Amino acid sequence: MRWLDAIRDYADRHGHRPFEIGEGRISGYASAVLGLLSLLAVLCFHFPQWLTVPEFRAIYGEVFARNALLVALITSFVLGTLNFVRNKRKRLGATGIIASTIAVVLGGATIPVDHIPETPISIGLDWFVLALLVSALIFIPLEKSYSKDPEQQILRPKWRTDLAYYFMSHALVQFVLIFSMSTATLMVGWAVSETFQSWVQSIPLAVQIMLAVLVADLAQYTVHRTYHSVGWLWRFHAVHHSAEHLDWLAGSRMHLLETMATRSAVLIPLLFFGFSPQALNAYVIIVGVQAVLSHANTRFDTKWLSYLVVTPRYHHWHHSADPEYADKNFAVHLPVIDMIFGTHKIP
């Protein structure tokens, strides 16, 4: 806990100050984050049946996980040492080195994994570690290169709150999936037609993907607009709108009940149409990237793009404090849905 306290104390005193290359803060934070994530990854290797999700294990594979862990351990050590050399405050570098050392002592990337017993449900710690690492590597440089608000720092106010939501949404991913699939099957399973689904799967893959995005967005638009219209549902959705600073991490600030309800609603049409696994996998990638990107602190000059797909510029207006935009731009993927239903608004 002292490592976390060190990071928290350092962030409270220096987190909102801009990073400067050469002062050692960047290396310190990177070392601490990589060290702590490496330690969590080692725990995943020790207890894969409880801390990893079988569906995701099949995607990233054991070899990739071991190589990524090895690189993270080495990088944490190197950056921690650099922090000691360049920065008068050594806590972050020490945090990274100590966490990495414990990870190595516990087995590092050489922990043997043979047969993984099946468990009724597990915590998606592996999904949290990989998603956080990949998202940070992609979106932090993107936000710095194409900032909507250049004055907003990486460690802006309330970043720890959003990180906690990020952890919960990823750690409980299997629970949410089980609940959503069970609910969707119960509500629409009786109407599923194998003949209709076989016809859908015979459609070219690219068309299936576009159709999946369309029907899912129609479902999510309906649910999203309902959250804004029904008072007691708004109480749950208000958690998401409580974020005062938008970036790649802020999109995860959602009430757990809203997450389960929304995903159940989206699964209903997807289950009914019965798209091919390839089309569904493509949709999952699209919605995952767009959900993060639409909240990111980025801005692109191609304003016409906001009329074709939901961009950060498009969705940021939905989060605006201006009352004229309070009930506008509900779509998640396609602005044309807002155009059809009269809720499209771009200045």
Side-chain angles (χ1 to χ4, degrees):
M1 292 301 294
R2 290 184 177 179
W3 305 331
L4 297 178
D5 290 339
I7 294 178
R8 182 179 302 168
D9 176 67
Y10 198 89
D12 288 340
R13 288 182 286 112
H14 301 277
H16 309 326
R17 181 166 60 84
F19 286 103
E20 296 180 6
I21 297 177
E23 65 174 355
R25 288 176 64 218
I26 297 177
S27 59
Y29 275 106
S31 175
V33 170
L34 289 174
L36 292 172
L37 290 181
S38 297
L39 184 55
L40 294 178
V42 167
L43 294 178
C44 290
F45 273 104
H46 276 291
F47 308 102
Q49 69 274 30
W50 298 111
L51 300 180
T52 65
V53 179
E55 293 81 0
F56 295 129
R57 289 202 305 264
I59 295 176
Y60 58 77
E62 181 180 338
V63 174
F64 171 81
R66 290 188 186 279
N67 291 335
L69 176 55
L70 180 61
V71 171
L73 287 170
I74 295 174
T75 306
S76 180
F77 275 114
V78 172
L79 293 179
T81 303
L82 183 62
N83 172 258
F84 263 80
V85 173
R86 302 294 299 180
N87 201 317
K88 294 181 179 179
R89 300 182 182 276
K90 319 295 184 182
R91 292 182 179 180
L92 288 170
T95 298
I97 292 175
I98 292 173
S100 299
T101 301
I102 295 175
V104 171
V105 170
L106 291 177
T110 62
I111 302 169
V113 178
D114 299 319
H115 173 69
I116 302 177
E118 293 186 6
T119 54
I121 195 168
S122 57
I123 297 175
L125 190 60
D126 59 337
W127 179 228
F128 166 73
V129 171
L130 284 173
L132 182 64
L133 181 60
V134 172
S135 297
L137 289 175
I138 294 175
F139 285 101
I140 290 179
L142 187 64
E143 291 187 341
K144 288 292 130 184
S145 301
Y146 303 96
S147 294
K148 171 181 173 289
D149 180 8
E151 299 300 321
Q152 181 171 301
Q153 303 306 315
I154 297 174
L155 299 181
R156 40 75 178 175
K158 303 297 179 65
W159 67 269
R160 290 185 296 278
T161 300
D162 291 326
L163 181 61
Y165 277 101
Y166 190 93
F167 172 78
M168 292 301 296
S169 64
H170 288 75
L172 298 179
V173 63
Q174 190 179 40
F175 170 75
V176 174
L177 285 175
I178 292 174
F179 174 86
S180 303
M181 183 59 71
S182 300
T183 303
T185 302
L186 179 64
M187 296 185 67
V188 79
W190 57 272
V192 170
S193 169
E194 293 185 3
T195 302
F196 174 70
Q197 291 187 343
S198 297
W199 176 78
V200 170
Q201 293 180 14
S202 68
I203 298 174
L205 181 59
V207 179
Q208 283 192 61
I209 295 172
M210 290 187 290
L211 187 59
V213 170
L214 175 61
V215 299
D217 206 8
L218 282 170
Q220 188 143 328
Y221 174 92
T222 302
V223 176
H224 192 179
R225 191 168 180 176
T226 303
Y227 288 141
H228 281 252
S229 304
V230 180
W232 66 273
L233 287 176
W234 168 254
R235 296 180 182 179
F236 297 102
H237 190 56
V239 172
H240 181 63
H241 279 270
S242 67
E244 298 177 3
H245 305 272
L246 293 180
D247 62 5
W248 65 275
L249 199 58
S252 296
R253 186 186 292 202
M254 293 182 65
H255 196 285
L256 180 60
L257 293 181
E258 179 187 349
T259 300
M260 294 191 296
T262 301
R263 293 189 182 179
S264 298
V266 170
L267 273 174
I268 288 175
L270 295 178
L271 182 64
F272 176 80
F273 277 83
F275 298 103
S276 66
Q278 295 86 346
L280 289 177
N281 290 337
Y283 166 73
V284 169
I285 294 174
I286 291 172
V287 70
V289 172
Q290 201 161 11
V292 179
L293 180 61
S294 63
H295 294 88
N297 179 30
T298 56
R299 183 173 186 173
F300 305 102
D301 293 331
T302 52
K303 296 181 180 181
W304 58 266
L305 193 62
S306 297
Y307 292 91
L308 297 179
V309 296
V310 170
T311 61
R313 175 176 178 264
Y314 187 87
H315 190 69
H316 280 209
W317 279 108
H318 177 72
H319 283 265
S320 172
D322 189 335
E324 291 188 14
Y325 294 87
D327 295 315
K328 303 295 182 181
N329 300 356
F330 292 109
V332 175
H333 302 293
L334 304 172
V336 67
I337 295 177
D338 280 303
M339 296 177 190
I340 293 173
F341 293 103
T343 54
H344 179 276
K345 189 173 179 64
I346 288 289

